[in-house]
């Protein structure tokens, strides 16, 4: 492709809302154009990378035995009412009405549609297992669309769905999908890890996320420094916290703590560490109010809590409810003497504490030297702790460390969640009907391309991994107005093209400085530069974007040299 015939407009300006480097570089390199918040056009250069990403995904899905189809973006409410998600899926679900006032949504995911397809066609255990996939646009009305393609509202996803007779068959396909995902991310030149994940609104029994480690990632993941345990913090299990002291219980006493509504204030006033304070939080849920007692220096993992309770909605209670249950304003609730009818759950982090401080359920007062059993008994204990750096691994004696990651893929064992409610059944080998066991497998196309940029760039631009580069080779003619240079450049370009190589030719009438800057920005991995001076000696300059080390070689050897570098770099 000649630049002069292509549609590519690079820019030196960074869009105001571009907070992360991948968004900045994709905008500057003329790959994407914002149409509305979280809604983008993929411009020709960007589309080339996305197309390459899709081709990799298709190859690996096909070789894992998945079969491609394409489902609609607009889906009828009835299917979502059948699965129960019409009312459960929050505001991210864009609901629309047609001219007959019939309700539809713009699909954020396709479990309902695919289950509806399969339940009509597949009848027998002999037809299972099967896996269907598509690459298609989703819409999720994200509360904070940002980071360009990383968190869009309309975005492209590969989503696959597998159907089975039983859990064992699901396990086998899940494993082959896991391996396919590994191959995909390896081919994209990404450093990634697979972590245990929460199943969220999609539901199911087990799930794993593929995380690309990056400072700008929106997800937090923990991994053990000894064993291979790794999990999204949303899911990560806590293994109690080390208790250092073995104090004898002292007498409970009520202390005046005027205005001390935060754990820090209480600890300062009572001259104790925040880890000796039992913090009591009241939550409002769709099952009523519940209380959580947790160590003062630690946070509740609200996702773990909601899963534990089996609730869909969970938020800190308002002042009125807190006053009603504790008899005091926010900041003074505590397990000792709290309303008897409140379901109070102790987090494991406070189970072994002795002589703890806690709210006295009375404005401006806290207890000190509280002790379980003697002063209050909790009927219910659970692990609802938000794990953090340095915590003990739940599976070995190692320590957990915290890192940030970009979730590029998410695979789920769904079980019979959708097949049961939607009547997606098959006849088993004894002639009896059974619901199909299902799995689903998502992968963000645009997000993965953006993640590749997060991991591969420098101060001047993108450094594409070969498989995702919009173009793999770039011919740069420094003096297109010089007939000798133009002729040599044209013929080198034609030769590369003739050999079936993926080549971009900067034949523009522009200054060398501009061409070099643009080449660095758009990040083509292999480049060959033809300039008047070196060409007079019969030489051209070859370099790789990664280190930009220049190699002067005879023009006649250029094609062979480029191919050699490509082969050394290639997948
Ligand atoms: P997140 O936790 O980041 O919101 P999710 O858990 O909602 O993601 P899934 O439902 O598992 O995402 O979707 C599968 C894949 O689709 C994700 O792993 C991610 O790569 C991609 N994806 C999800 N939401 C977006 C989005 N708003 N913009 C771009 N890609 C997305
Ligand atoms: Mg997810």
């Amino acid at each position: 492709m000649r630049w002069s015939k292509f549609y590519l407009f690079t820019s030196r300006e960074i869009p105001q809302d571009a907070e992360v480097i991948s968004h900045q570089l994709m905008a500057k390199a003329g790959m994407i154009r914002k149409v509305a918040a979280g809604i983008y056009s993929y411009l020709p250069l960007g589309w080339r990378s996305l197309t390459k990403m899709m081709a990799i995904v298709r190859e690996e899905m096909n070789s894992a035995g998945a079969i491609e189809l394409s489902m609609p973006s607009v889906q009828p409410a009835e299917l979502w009412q059948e699965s129960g998600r019409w009312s459960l899926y929050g505001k991210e679900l864009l609901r629309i009405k047609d001219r007959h006032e019939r309700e539809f949504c713009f699909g954020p995911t396709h479990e309902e549609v695919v289950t509806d397809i399969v339940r009509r066609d597949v009848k027998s255990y002999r037809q299972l297992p099967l896996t269907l996939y598509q690459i298609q646009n989703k819409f999720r009305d994200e509360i904070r669309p940002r980071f360009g393609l990383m968190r869009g509202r309309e975005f492209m996803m590969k989503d696959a769905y597998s159907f089975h007779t039983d859990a064992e068959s699901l396990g086998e396909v899940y494993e082959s999908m896991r391996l396919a995902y590994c191959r995909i991310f390896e081919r994209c030149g990404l450093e990634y890890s697979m972590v245990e994940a929460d199943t969220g609104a999609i539901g199911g029994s087990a799930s794993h996320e593929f995380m690309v480690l990056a400072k700008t990632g929106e997800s937090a993941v923990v991994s053990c420094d000894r064993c291979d345990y790794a999990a999204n913090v949303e899911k990560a299990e806590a293994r109690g916290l080390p208790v250092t002291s073995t104090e004898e219980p002292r007498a409970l006493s009520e202390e005046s703590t005027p205005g001390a509504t935060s754990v820090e204030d209480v600890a300062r006033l009572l001259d104790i560490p925040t880890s000796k304070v039992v913090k009591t939080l009241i939550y409002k849920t769709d099952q009523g109010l519940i209380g959580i007692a947790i160590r003062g220096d630690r946070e509740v993992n609200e996702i773990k809590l909601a899963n534990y309770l089996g609730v869909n909605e969970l938020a800190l209670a308002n002042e009125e409810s807190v006053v009603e249950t504790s008899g005091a304003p926010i900041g003074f609730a505590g397990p000792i003497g709290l309303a008897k009818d409140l379901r109070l759950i102790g987090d494991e982090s406070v189970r072994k504490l002795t002589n703890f401080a806690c709210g006295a359920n009375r404005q401006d007062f806290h207890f000190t030297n509280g002790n379980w059993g003697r002063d209050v008994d909790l009927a219910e204990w659970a692990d609802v702790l938000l794990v953090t750096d340095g915590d003990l691994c739940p599976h070995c004696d190692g320590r957990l460390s915290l890192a940030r990651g970009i979730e590029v893929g998410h695979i789920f064992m769904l079980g019979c969640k959708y097949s049961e409610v939607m009547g997606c059944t098959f006849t088993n080998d004894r002639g009896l009907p059974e619901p199909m066991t299902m799995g689903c497998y998502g992968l963000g196309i645009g997000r993965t391309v953006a993640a590749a940029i997060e991991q591969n760039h420098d101060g001047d631009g993108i450094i594409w991994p070969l498989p995702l580069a919009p173009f793999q080779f770039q011919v740069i003619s420094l003096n297109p107005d010089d007939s000798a240079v133009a002729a040599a450049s044209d013929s080198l370009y034609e030769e590369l093209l003739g050999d079936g190589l993926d080549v971009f030719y900067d034949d523009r009438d522009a200054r060398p400085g501009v061409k070099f800057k643009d080449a660095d920005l758009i990040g083509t991995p292999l480049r060959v530069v033809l300039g008047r001076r070196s060409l007079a000696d019969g030489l051209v300059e070859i370099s790789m974007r990664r280190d930009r080390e220049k190699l002067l070689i005879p023009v006649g050897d250029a094609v062979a040299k480029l191919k050699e570098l490509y082969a050394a770099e290639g997948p």
Side-chain angles (χ1 to χ4, degrees):
M1 176 60 66
R2 287 171 180 267
W3 191 318
S4 61
K5 300 262 187 310
F6 195 50
Y7 189 96
L8 174 57
F9 300 90
T10 59
S11 155
R12 306 282 170 246
E13 310 264 306
I14 299 173
Q16 266 188 342
D17 63 344
E19 299 167 63
V20 296
I21 193 75
S22 57
H23 185 187
Q24 295 173 2
L25 290 174
M26 287 180 106
K28 285 172 72 174
M31 297 180 74
I32 54 173
R33 172 73 39 76
K34 182 165 141 183
V35 179
I39 301 178
Y40 289 85
S41 292
Y42 307 116
L43 300 177
L45 194 75
W47 185 242
R48 290 186 71 94
S49 280
L50 280 138
T51 305
K52 292 187 175 185
M53 180 70 214
M54 288 187 267
I56 293 173
V57 169
R58 278 203 174 92
E59 271 176 42
E60 296 298 343
M61 282 297 114
N62 294 344
S63 68
I67 308 158
E68 187 168 2
L69 84 172
S70 185
M71 293 179 272
S73 298
V74 176
Q75 310 179 6
E78 288 76 23
L79 283 179
W80 286 71
Q81 281 151 354
E82 244 190 280
S83 73
R85 286 205 292 185
W86 186 253
S87 54
L88 291 181
Y89 219 103
K91 290 192 170 163
E92 275 185 26
L93 185 67
L94 180 68
R95 293 150 214 262
I96 43 187
K97 278 191 184 153
D98 72 3
R99 61 167 77 206
H100 307 293
E101 293 289 304
R102 287 193 198 110
E103 289 188 297
F104 290 84
C105 65
F106 198 113
T109 173
H110 281 68
E111 283 78 10
E112 282 80 359
V113 176
V114 77
T115 304
D116 181 52
I117 292 174
V118 171
R119 70 178 170 183
R120 290 162 192 266
D121 296 326
V122 178
K123 304 289 178 208
S124 158
Y125 70 94
R126 287 192 207 88
Q127 295 159 313
L128 296 171
L130 66 93
T131 305
L132 297 171
Y133 81 97
Q134 64 175 347
I135 297 178
Q136 186 254 14
N137 276 358
K138 304 284 180 256
F139 193 96
R140 295 183 181 177
D141 203 354
E142 301 273 356
I143 186 163
R144 254 193 99 191
R146 56 188 185 150
F147 301 165
L149 299 193
M150 207 100 87
R151 184 167 297 283
R153 293 200 293 166
E154 180 168 333
F155 60 94
M156 198 179 285
M157 194 201 287
K158 183 285 299 174
D159 44 328
Y161 305 87
S162 66
F163 295 83
H164 311 267
T165 54
D166 56 24
E168 191 187 333
S169 163
L170 167 61
E172 285 162 16
V173 169
Y174 193 82
E175 176 60 12
S176 75
M177 282 298 194
R178 186 183 72 78
L179 293 172
Y181 272 52
C182 292
R183 281 192 301 272
I184 291 168
F185 297 125
E186 264 150 36
R187 286 179 63 179
C188 295
L190 286 164
E191 257 183 68
Y192 69 94
S193 68
M194 190 184 86
V195 306
E196 291 180 12
D198 179 60
T199 50
I202 298 205
S205 55
S207 87
H208 291 89
E209 286 168 339
F210 289 79
M211 293 284 183
V212 167
L213 298 180
K215 286 194 298 291
T216 48
E218 290 185 279
S219 304
V221 288
V222 289
S223 55
C224 176
D225 60 7
R226 285 238 190 116
C227 71
D228 58 8
Y229 180 70
N232 189 315
V233 288
E234 291 179 348
K235 162 87 178 175
E237 307 153 50
R239 181 179 129 196
L241 297 169
V243 175
T244 40
S245 77
T246 48
E247 298 167 5
E248 285 303 309
R250 291 189 291 268
L252 182 73
S253 89
E254 201 178 22
E255 306 285 336
S256 157
T257 51
T261 53
S262 73
V263 170
E264 287 69 31
D265 293 344
V266 173
R268 202 177 319 109
L269 268 175
L270 300 175
D271 196 21
I272 54 170
T274 49
S275 59
K276 289 277 273 188
V277 179
V278 170
K279 172 163 74 176
T280 305
L281 300 163
I282 317 273
Y283 281 93
K284 185 172 184 284
T285 76
D286 43 307
Q287 291 176 7
L289 294 177
I290 62 118
I292 294 293
I294 192 166
R295 220 172 77 171
D297 58 337
R298 301 299 297 265
E299 302 302 325
V300 171
N301 180 334
E302 293 183 355
I303 292 171
K304 262 161 72 172
L305 177 58
N307 288 342
Y308 170 75
L309 296 170
V311 298
N312 292 309
E313 277 163 44
L314 179 119
L316 281 171
N318 61 17
E319 180 96 37
E320 199 185 328
S321 307
V322 172
V323 172
E324 212 166 280
T325 41
S326 73
I330 290 177
F332 298 98
I336 304 171
L338 196 60
K340 286 270 175 302
D341 55 350
L342 179 76
R343 178 174 171 194
L344 181 60
I345 302 162
D347 178 69
E348 294 289 347
S349 61
V350 293
R351 198 167 188 163
K352 296 203 179 112
L353 280 188
T354 48
N355 297 324
F356 56 79
C358 62
N361 303 308
R362 181 177 163 204
Q363 180 161 11
D364 295 341
F365 284 90
H366 277 80
F367 286 121
T368 58
N369 300 327
N371 284 283
W372 304 115
R374 185 192 69 184
D375 305 316
V376 60
D377 257 332
L378 289 194
E380 193 174 355
W381 295 90
D383 164 28
V384 295
L385 186 78
L386 186 67
V387 164
T388 188
D389 225 20
D391 281 357
L392 285 170
C393 171
H395 299 298
C396 76
D397 288 332
R399 293 282 175 163
L400 298 179
S401 66
L402 197 62
R404 303 217 61 89
I406 301 166
E407 180 204 314
V408 286
H410 196 169
I411 60 178
F412 299 75
M413 288 194 183
L414 292 173
C416 300
K417 184 181 149 96
Y418 294 90
S419 53
E420 253 164 20
V421 289
M422 295 186 65
C424 181
T425 58
F426 68 100
T427 309
N428 68 18
D429 53 1
R430 283 164 291 124
L432 300 170
E434 267 189 66
M436 294 183 202
T437 299
M438 291 171 58
C440 78
Y441 316 87
L443 189 152
I445 301 293
R447 191 183 280 186
T448 304
V449 170
I453 298 177
E454 290 290 325
Q455 274 192 351
N456 299 283
H457 67 269
D458 63 14
D460 298 315
I462 304 168
I463 306 175
W464 284 111
L466 259 183
L468 294 184
F471 294 97
Q472 295 178 321
F473 299 86
Q474 189 156 331
V475 174
I476 302 174
S477 163
L478 293 185
N479 316 95
D481 47 353
D482 179 312
S483 58
V485 177
S489 303
D490 280 1
S491 93
L492 183 55
Y493 166 65
E494 298 293 345
E495 194 177 344
L496 290 167
L497 210 56
D499 285 353
L501 300 178
D502 181 26
V503 48
F504 193 42
Y505 176 19
D506 191 350
D507 60 341
R508 288 175 304 167
D509 183 16
R511 282 181 293 111
V514 170
K515 295 194 169 193
F516 283 120
K517 261 200 150 57
D518 278 337
D520 285 347
L521 177 62
I522 67 176
T524 308
L526 291 150
R527 126 183 9 155
V528 52
V529 180
L530 297 96
R532 189 184 296 120
R533 226 170 305 145
S534 44
L535 211 55
D537 301 327
L539 299 174
V540 297
E541 198 182 280
I542 286 179
S543 62
M544 309 228 316
R545 171 63 181 89
R546 194 182 315 116
D547 54 19
R548 286 179 287 199
E549 228 165 87
K550 289 171 192 146
L551 219 59
L552 269 178
I553 59 157
V555 62
D557 298 344
V559 174
K561 187 70 199 172
L562 284 166
K563 285 184 178 169
E564 183 192 316
L565 290 171
Y566 175 80
E569 192 69 1

